[in-house]
Amino acid sequence: KQEVTQIPAALSVPEGENLVLNCSFTDSAIYNLQWFRQDPGKGLTSLLLIQSSQREQTSGRLNASLDKSSGRSTLYIAASQPGDSATYLCATLMDSNYQLIWGAGTKLIIKP
Amino acid sequence: DAGITQSPRYKITETGRQVTLMCHQTWSHSYMFWYRQDLGHGLRLIYYSAAADITDKGEVPDGYVVSRSKTENFPLTLESATRSQTSVYFCASSGDGMNTEAFFGQGTRLTVV
């Protein structure tokens, strides 16, 4: 059974810093890995989707990488801003069925 | 308005009552999903649907019923609400193909007292 882990559960950094959020998974038979953002009291917004055959995806200041062999993905945020404060979740889409398996998220606080 | 909308946003109900949470999407996406989000458990899939009249169980389906008579609507019914079903419920949709992103509604915060 797939398990997705995000460490740390919370992270606080000063504005302007570059940072990395981590996501690890136990079963490498994934179809893709997705990163989402969740703001308090709101739904989830898709940030990046990395197909299993890809190594990374970029969108603006965000870069996500995928290493299936080691069961890891990272989300790199460059030049962080207070508006980046949110909870970031990763999820894997399994080959075996159309189900996203979710990590518990990392709550990110960017201090002005 | 384009997008995916859930109603109600907040609901308080009593144990044993039937409750229906509504989900409507305007993109004609094939796939629709219901998740619940709880502290300590993250997001868990309750039910999903690949098309109208096609539904399947997710990780935690017990106590819930879904239907999908129209592509755009995917209601979730709690047949007899229990306190353990107090949670935030999210509906999501995505297009055909495994590598399409999912779009989420704003969520429904349900409290069962």
Side-chain angles (χ1 to χ4, degrees):
Chain A
K1 181 183 175 184
Q2 176 75 291
E3 293 183 5
V4 180
T5 303
Q6 293 185 250
I7 296 173
L11 181 64
S12 180
V13 300
E15 179 179 3
E17 282 198 5
N18 302 324
L19 60 97
V20 174
L21 304 181
N22 297 298
C23 174
S24 61
F25 49 93
T26 56
D27 186 346
S28 62
I30 64 173
Y31 206 88
N32 63 50
L33 186 142
Q34 303 178 39
W35 283 93
F36 292 83
R37 169 186 173 139
Q38 184 174 25
D39 294 284
K42 297 190 177 181
L44 285 76
T45 301
S46 177
L47 297 174
L48 290 164
L49 184 154
I50 312 176
Q51 298 178 35
S52 62
S53 58
Q54 297 175 325
R55 296 284 292 180
E56 64 180 289
Q57 281 287 336
T58 298
S59 176
R61 294 183 293 109
L62 305 179
N63 176 277
S65 68
L66 175 64
D67 184 344
K68 280 179 57 178
S69 62
S70 66
R72 292 183 179 182
S73 176
T74 62
L75 179 66
Y76 175 83
I77 303 177
S80 59
Q81 303 170 359
D84 295 329
S85 297
T87 296
Y88 291 80
L89 298 102
C90 66
T92 60
L93 187 68
M94 305 308 296
D95 268 345
S96 55
N97 55 45
Y98 200 66
Q99 290 197 30
L100 281 169
I101 308 298
W102 297 82
T106 295
K107 183 175 182 179
L108 176 64
I109 297 173
I110 307 298
K111 297 174 289 186
Chain B
D1 290 338
I4 182 165
T5 55
Q6 293 182 233
S7 61
R9 289 293 312 280
Y10 303 92
K11 177 75 175 178
I12 299 175
T13 192
E14 295 178 339
T15 301
R17 291 200 180 259
Q18 183 180 80
V19 177
T20 296
L21 310 184
M22 305 300 293
C23 179
H24 175 79
Q25 53 106 351
T26 60
W27 295 297
S28 298
H29 282 166
S30 297
Y31 287 90
M32 295 188 75
F33 310 86
W34 274 107
Y35 293 93
R36 59 178 291 174
Q37 187 176 36
D38 306 285
L39 282 174
H41 288 282
L43 277 152
R44 293 179 290 175
L45 182 66
I46 304 170
Y47 270 95
Y48 67 101
S49 168
D53 297 323
I54 301 175
T55 63
D56 208 346
K57 296 178 180 179
E59 183 183 354
V60 288
D62 294 343
Y64 303 95
V65 174
V66 293
S67 62
R68 196 166 175 207
S69 57
K70 293 183 178 182
T71 300
E72 61 267 29
N73 296 324
F74 191 38
L76 175 74
T77 298
L78 288 67
E79 296 184 294
S80 178
T82 65
R83 289 182 180 164
S84 65
Q85 293 177 309
T86 293
S87 185
V88 180
Y89 291 84
F90 287 101
C91 179
S93 71
S94 67
D96 288 332
M98 299 288 276
N99 285 314
T100 55
E101 62 181 307
F103 294 87
F104 281 77
Q106 296 280 63
T108 295
R109 183 175 294 275
L110 176 67
T111 302
V112 183
V113 298

